[in-house]
Amino acid sequence: MDQLGSVLTDIGPVVVAFSGGADSAFLAWVATDVLGPGRAQCTTAVSPSLAGDELDGCRSLAEAWGLEWSTVATDELDRLAYVANGPDRCAHCKAALMDVLRPQAEALGGTVVLGVNLDDLGDHRPGQAAAAGSGARFPLVEARFTKAMVRQASRRLGLVTWDKPAGACLASRIPYGVAVTVGALGSVQRAEAALRELGLRQVRVRHHGDVARVEVDPIELDEAFRLRQEVAGAVRSAGYAYVALDLDGFRSGSLNEVLG
């Protein structure tokens, strides 16, 4: 914690890209605590790739923690390279994010910071390079925080996000080469929300056209199979014709497996 505080103090005023996940929430809380609300602004980017309940969660956390919070619309779906959904999709998403956050940081005389931790560096995440190239910094990486350390520190601080399941933008559910559309994002959002209502916590609905490939935490596989009829009905209600339960269970970035 002391090291993270030192990193943030060195960076100075910050605009935190606040998605409401465990990492960005922890960073937002610590930045506000260390720098003060006037020097730590937390901004949530709003677009069809952000689930509605995630936006509601950001709002609730901001109110409960006294964050200086705002929302801003991003235009990634207006960018043809993003919609084309190549392996560099995340780079175009982060470019859109930085286009709206960088002016906020400049007005503050500060820096955009993202909740990237050490574990994130091992996956295929071109968005990180794009953000860094646009001037963003990753305080959790600089302070040598892993995901487990973020959760442990959050728990000690009493943050409700300490055990929040890993999240990612809805576009990460669509295989590379398949166009990102509002319709596909909406189907994924509705299906995942319906599965959480069944009590499943860590879920991903991978969008394969008419087929939804459902990933749940391996410890929830037995429960998902027990509820297979309810699971199938919930996912079909979101517009899918077929529902498949992935026996490997949830793993972050599973659609990157095709990249070798």
Side-chain angles (χ1 to χ4, degrees):
M1 285 292 293
D2 290 342
Q3 178 64 21
L4 179 57
S6 296
V7 168
L8 288 165
T9 299
D10 177 68
I11 294 174
V14 297
V15 173
V16 181
F18 180 52
S19 67
D23 297 320
S24 74
F26 174 64
L27 181 59
W29 192 96
V30 175
T32 300
D33 183 61
V34 170
L35 301 174
R39 301 181 74 233
Q41 297 181 3
C42 305
T43 303
T44 300
V46 179
S47 77
S49 65
L50 177 71
D53 57 354
E54 292 294 335
L55 177 58
D56 293 340
C58 289
R59 181 179 295 106
S60 297
L61 291 175
E63 292 173 354
W65 294 350
L67 305 179
E68 185 170 328
W69 178 70
S70 62
T71 62
V72 64
T74 53
D75 67 354
E76 62 264 32
L77 278 170
D78 293 331
R79 302 182 180 220
L80 294 180
Y82 174 87
V83 173
N85 196 19
D88 63 346
R89 181 199 66 241
C90 289
H92 302 292
C93 178
K94 285 299 185 290
L97 177 67
M98 291 300 295
D99 281 351
V100 295
L101 294 190
R102 193 168 51 240
Q104 291 188 353
E106 291 171 353
L108 190 64
T111 303
V112 176
V113 294
L114 275 63
V116 177
N117 66 64
L118 286 174
D119 295 334
D120 295 329
L121 302 181
D123 195 7
H124 172 73
R125 302 201 180 188
Q128 295 173 6
S134 293
R137 288 178 65 174
F138 311 145
L140 299 178
V141 171
E142 295 181 39
R144 312 304 296 170
F145 269 78
T146 63
K147 185 73 170 187
M149 292 169 64
V150 168
R151 292 195 184 281
Q152 291 165 4
S154 297
R155 188 174 190 179
R156 287 196 299 270
L157 291 169
L159 306 185
V160 297
T161 51
W162 77 269
D163 65 343
K164 184 175 180 179
C169 79
L170 295 174
S172 67
R173 280 65 154 172
I174 302 176
Y176 296 126
V178 177
V180 177
T181 65
V182 172
L185 296 173
S187 293
V188 169
Q189 177 177 211
R190 292 192 300 274
E192 292 190 352
L195 292 175
R196 285 192 291 270
E197 288 180 2
L198 292 176
L200 300 171
R201 295 194 72 229
Q202 181 70 79
V203 299
R204 289 288 189 277
V205 172
R206 308 298 186 183
H207 179 90
H208 298 275
D210 287 341
V211 178
R213 176 168 58 86
V214 178
E215 298 177 9
V216 301
D217 192 293
I219 65 174
E220 293 186 302
L221 276 171
D222 286 345
E223 179 67 4
F225 188 73
R226 187 183 70 81
L227 295 172
R228 60 189 181 278
Q229 291 184 332
E230 291 87 343
V231 167
V235 176
R236 286 195 182 102
S237 71
Y240 292 98
Y242 306 100
V243 184
L245 180 62
D246 191 321
L247 298 182
D248 284 331
F250 166 75
R251 61 268 189 213
S252 181
S254 72
L255 291 177
N256 292 333
E257 294 167 359
V258 300
L259 301 179

